[in-house]
Amino acid sequence: MACGYVGAAIASLGLSNRVLTVNGQSDPGATAGKFFAARTFSIPVGVGFAVLVALIFGLPWTAVVLLGLAVALFDHYTDFLQAALAGLTRDTKAVVVIMAQRLLPFVALIGALVINPDYLLWAFAGGTIAGIGVGVVLVASSVRWARSAGALFDDKAVGFWFSGIASSLPQLQPAIAGAVLGPAVAGVYAVAVRVTSPLSIVPIGIQTILVPRISTANAERVRLVTKQALIVSAVYAALLAVLAFPLGWAADIALGEGFDHIVSLVAAFTVMSGAAAIAQVSYGRLIARHRAGLGAAIVIITTLVNLGFLWVIGDFACAGWLWTVPLIGSVLGITAFTIADIRTSGPKASGEHAVTAKAGAPLG
């Protein structure tokens, strides 16, 4: 799945972040339509890059590996579909896409467990494809098709492209853990990441709601919506901090034997999800100012530092200290994004890319 996410990100042209700003264009529907077409036609390119990354890591071509690659590629594409609807402020449709993306594979898995567990992989694949279908239909009915919808490549495109690639790099953490501490540790690390992944819905949701509303707003509106976003993210972070260890214990009970250190890892990734909600507010403000390149640089640098720290832990400590890795990443992320947001903010930065100073709906 890590290989699939990296491959998809390389081929995505950063459109998942860029499409969040279409509301600031003269014809948002047409621009979103052009991005939708480009992202759809880039899927085969993403498959090629994902296979290349998998070859670099020397993965065996088993059914589970192929399914992991496919699910990651489709998951990345569905993220774009949800972002496109959010960028057009079709918030209800965006929520439907998220729910379909998460619930349909889950329902399919439960059905296979009840009917015939031998078809678990096929059921999961079918549920994933069904979720994509929901997103494609909703986006296709919301965009406008036009030949002249602005340039796909401009002076901001490279920054958004790097931001998309950067966001996929943390997916490589389980692979690094496996390279240093062995496949068993990689499995536990990956399970902790996947168990806590639903908690990322809120941080992603904050960004996808925030960016379209402040990309066309005046300075006063930007401050109001940012304040609302910070309050929501702080409350969410505090809630997850309280629930961190209970969730870790629940995961330990549910998974059973063979998952050493899962409690501390799940607790740490839970705290990290809350911290990510706070960091996403600053990251969203950078994207709205068309400073996605700066955000990408922060993600790349903090991720590389974090991966280096993971390698050091693996070489000089033991698996029992892995919980420190996501916590270090959280501190680095919040600090770096907050500093970048403050240094690039101001009256000019708040409204320099706005085409109109209109008031949007309140956050949420």
Side-chain angles (χ1 to χ4, degrees):
M1 290 191 74
C3 295
Y5 278 116
V6 173
I10 294 173
S12 70
L13 304 175
L15 293 177
S16 293
N17 282 337
R18 193 176 175 191
V19 76
L20 290 172
T21 66
V22 295
N23 218 25
Q25 303 292 322
S26 58
D27 191 343
T31 303
K34 174 170 279 191
F35 289 170
F36 176 40
R39 183 65 186 90
T40 301
F41 284 114
S42 73
I43 291 177
V45 181
V47 172
F49 278 118
V51 170
L52 177 61
V53 177
L55 288 173
I56 292 173
F57 275 94
L59 297 182
W61 298 110
T62 62
V64 172
V65 170
L66 291 174
L67 181 63
L69 287 172
V71 169
L73 287 160
F74 288 141
D75 199 37
H76 199 282
Y77 178 62
T78 307
D79 288 342
F80 166 80
L81 299 175
Q82 184 261 337
L85 293 168
L88 293 170
T89 63
R90 307 287 200 276
D91 294 332
T92 301
K93 291 183 177 180
V95 170
V96 171
V97 172
I98 293 176
M99 298 301 291
Q101 177 188 19
R102 301 291 181 176
L103 287 179
L104 291 181
F106 178 72
V107 171
L109 277 175
I110 296 299
L113 280 172
V114 173
I115 299 172
N116 189 343
D118 292 337
Y119 293 98
L120 273 177
L121 293 183
W122 290 106
F124 187 61
T128 301
I129 293 172
I132 294 171
V134 172
V136 169
V137 170
L138 291 178
V139 172
S141 64
S142 301
V143 302
R144 197 173 70 81
W145 308 105
R147 291 186 178 180
S148 58
L152 184 62
F153 300 101
D154 56 22
D155 59 333
K156 305 298 181 184
V158 174
F160 280 106
W161 182 49
F162 275 112
S163 74
I165 295 174
S167 65
S168 71
L169 293 181
Q171 296 288 339
L172 295 176
Q173 288 189 13
I176 298 297
V180 180
L181 294 168
V185 174
V188 173
Y189 204 94
V191 167
V193 172
R194 299 309 297 173
V195 165
T196 56
S197 66
L199 302 176
S200 66
I201 292 177
V202 171
I204 294 172
I206 288 174
Q207 187 185 89
T208 53
I209 292 173
L210 175 71
V211 174
R213 280 162 173 73
I214 66 176
S215 61
T216 59
N218 56 29
E220 181 180 355
R221 182 65 186 168
V222 169
R223 284 193 295 270
L224 174 62
V225 177
T226 299
K227 180 180 178 181
Q228 292 176 324
L230 285 172
I231 291 173
V232 171
S233 60
V235 170
Y236 185 66
L239 176 63
L240 290 189
V242 172
L243 295 177
F245 275 102
L247 288 176
W249 293 323
D252 186 41
I253 294 172
L255 293 170
E257 295 182 1
F259 289 90
D260 297 336
H261 314 298
I262 196 70
V263 174
S264 59
L265 274 174
V266 168
F269 278 112
T270 300
V271 173
M272 187 183 75
S273 297
I278 298 174
Q280 287 286 18
V281 176
S282 296
Y283 195 6
R285 284 164 58 86
L286 292 175
I287 292 173
R289 299 184 197 124
H290 290 229
R291 300 296 300 272
L294 175 58
I298 292 172
V299 173
I300 290 173
I301 292 171
T302 55
T303 299
L304 291 177
V305 171
N306 216 36
L307 291 177
F309 181 68
L310 173 59
W311 197 281
V312 170
I313 288 292
D315 269 351
F316 298 101
C318 62
W321 288 92
L322 285 175
W323 60 270
T324 60
V325 176
L327 295 185
I328 291 293
S330 300
V331 174
L332 288 175
I334 289 180
T335 302
F337 276 115
T338 301
I339 292 173
D341 183 18
I342 293 173
R343 291 182 66 87
T344 60
S345 64
K348 182 179 179 180
S350 299
E352 60 183 344
H353 295 289
V355 295
T356 177
K358 60 184 180 181
L363 179 67

